[in-house]
Amino acid sequence: MSGNGASSSSLNMISGEDVVNNNLTALVVDDSPLLRLLHDIHLKKYGLKVQVAENGKVAVDLFHLGASFDLVLMDKEMPVMNGVEATKELRAMGVTSMIVGVTSKDGPGEQQAFMEAGLDYCFEKPLTPEIISILLEELNKHNKKD
Amino acid sequence: MERNPMRRQLAIMRQSLFDQGHVDEQFVQLEELQDDANPNFVEEVVTLYYRDSARIILNIEQALERKPFDFRKLDAYMHQFKGSSSSIGAKKVKAESTLFREYCKSGNGEGCMRSFQQLKKEYATLRKKLGAYFQLARQAGPVETASRPK
């Protein structure tokens, strides 16, 4: 599914009232400083601790060094290592974080390839507050089960 | 309704940015991220956008000087520019970026050149209008809440 909608039918449109969470961590992976700042501020507003990485390799290296994040926002087109390659590597390493692809409006085939790399969801950039609320609700539900 | 004349003027300027199609809903979302902790957030993001854009526009200009056109490269640059423009809600600039990419995909060099000239005009207009808006905003002082355009 393209546009600002989930690529999975499992997301529910829930109110974002109770999603402020001080325990969640996020990694924003994007080669655009502008998008990194935007998503950084968005997520911090919800109480997340946020780190940023300018490409997929930096993100993968962080995980290799032992970092872990509840949520990874992964841009698709990046130099050095793109989002598809980075996602595949992270899943191959056994990373179980929620990985959310963030793309410009690509054709359905391109989003599909990104999803198949191991994403949980894929949305058009930039993420809206509504989408972020939904993702955090899902993360909170997931964490309660563990 | 704003009683302060400067704030009234600011509100009118802001509304016209939307009415004239220069910015869209994404601009409102930027404003909603602005608060006491980040009081100049919108202007900071827009400044980052200008920096990003200057680099990409230069890349496109240089690419358009090389014949034959590398449409794949041109499209890739414009993909970046469109992404940045979307992030700040630059509606007209984004629309022109989309058109440029369509010309790239169809290998239409003349179309790319025309569209790029139009894009630069829209971009310059946006910069001028946002520049005036932020200048007045700084004089008027902090606004309490963002409001959706009528």
Side-chain angles (χ1 to χ4, degrees), chain A residues 2-89:
Chain A
S2 61
N4 261 335
S7 288
S8 164
S9 57
S10 63
L11 286 181
N12 298 312
M13 300 294 288
I14 299 165
S15 156
E17 278 173 1
D18 296 312
V19 295
V20 176
N21 188 308
N22 292 323
N23 298 322
L24 294 177
T25 57
L27 177 65
V28 175
V29 191
D30 203 306
D31 62 328
S32 163
L34 199 159
L35 265 299
R36 287 200 301 270
L37 175 64
L38 260 180
H39 287 143
D40 178 41
I41 297 289
H42 258 313
L43 293 171
K44 278 176 176 162
K45 278 242 173 210
Y46 285 97
L48 277 82
K49 293 180 181 54
V50 184
Q51 258 186 272
V52 298
E54 66 263 32
N55 61 57
K57 184 173 186 310
V58 173
V60 168
D61 287 347
L62 277 172
F63 278 92
H64 271 304
L65 289 170
S68 68
F69 303 93
D70 298 292
L71 172 68
V72 178
L73 295 188
M74 183 75 77
D75 183 26
K76 183 166 170 265
E77 304 291 342
M78 292 181 286
V80 185
M81 185 186 285
N82 65 35
V84 175
E85 292 162 8
T87 304
K88 282 181 185 170
E89 279 243 14

Side-chain angles (χ1 to χ4, degrees), chain B residues 4-148:
Chain B
N4 181 312
M6 204 178 276
R7 286 207 179 283
R8 254 205 319 273
Q9 176 61 22
L10 189 65
I12 290 167
M13 276 180 84
R14 182 182 173 276
Q15 188 61 43
S16 80
L17 287 172
F18 290 95
D19 292 345
Q20 290 171 15
H22 292 294
V23 298
D24 61 23
E25 169 70 22
Q26 180 56 30
F27 191 79
V28 178
Q29 298 200 4
L30 287 188
E31 291 176 313
E32 287 175 350
L33 288 172
Q34 187 157 296
D35 58 17
D36 292 340
N38 302 285
N40 303 308
F41 177 70
V42 181
E43 194 172 358
E44 283 170 17
V45 169
V46 170
T47 302
L48 259 181
Y49 167 65
Y50 294 154
R51 204 180 300 162
D52 225 17
S53 303
R55 177 182 55 83
I56 299 170
I57 287 172
L58 180 62
N59 286 339
I60 295 173
E61 278 172 342
Q62 288 172 346
L64 286 173
E65 282 166 12
R66 290 190 282 270
K67 304 282 194 312
F69 288 153
D70 184 341
F71 289 109
R72 205 156 162 244
K73 194 173 257 185
L74 284 168
D75 184 57
Y77 286 141
M78 193 53 76
H79 175 90
Q80 283 178 42
F81 186 69
K82 188 183 164 188
S84 292
S85 302
S86 298
S87 302
I88 70 149
K91 192 176 175 185
K92 284 188 181 182
V93 172
K94 189 174 78 168
E96 207 56 51
S97 305
T98 301
L99 188 59
F100 183 95
R101 293 193 72 195
E102 283 166 14
Y103 285 129
C104 286
K105 287 175 168 73
S106 60
N108 184 338
E110 287 290 326
C112 283
M113 302 271 283
R114 264 196 326 269
S115 175
F116 188 56
Q117 293 310 312
Q118 186 59 28
L119 183 145
K120 285 197 289 185
K121 276 187 197 160
E122 297 293 355
Y123 175 72
T125 303
L126 177 71
R127 276 197 73 149
K128 194 174 166 189
K129 289 194 180 280
L130 285 178
Y133 174 70
F134 288 130
Q135 188 176 25
L136 186 61
R138 271 182 253 121
Q139 288 167 14
V143 181
E144 281 178 11
T145 53
S147 59
R148 288 209 142 53

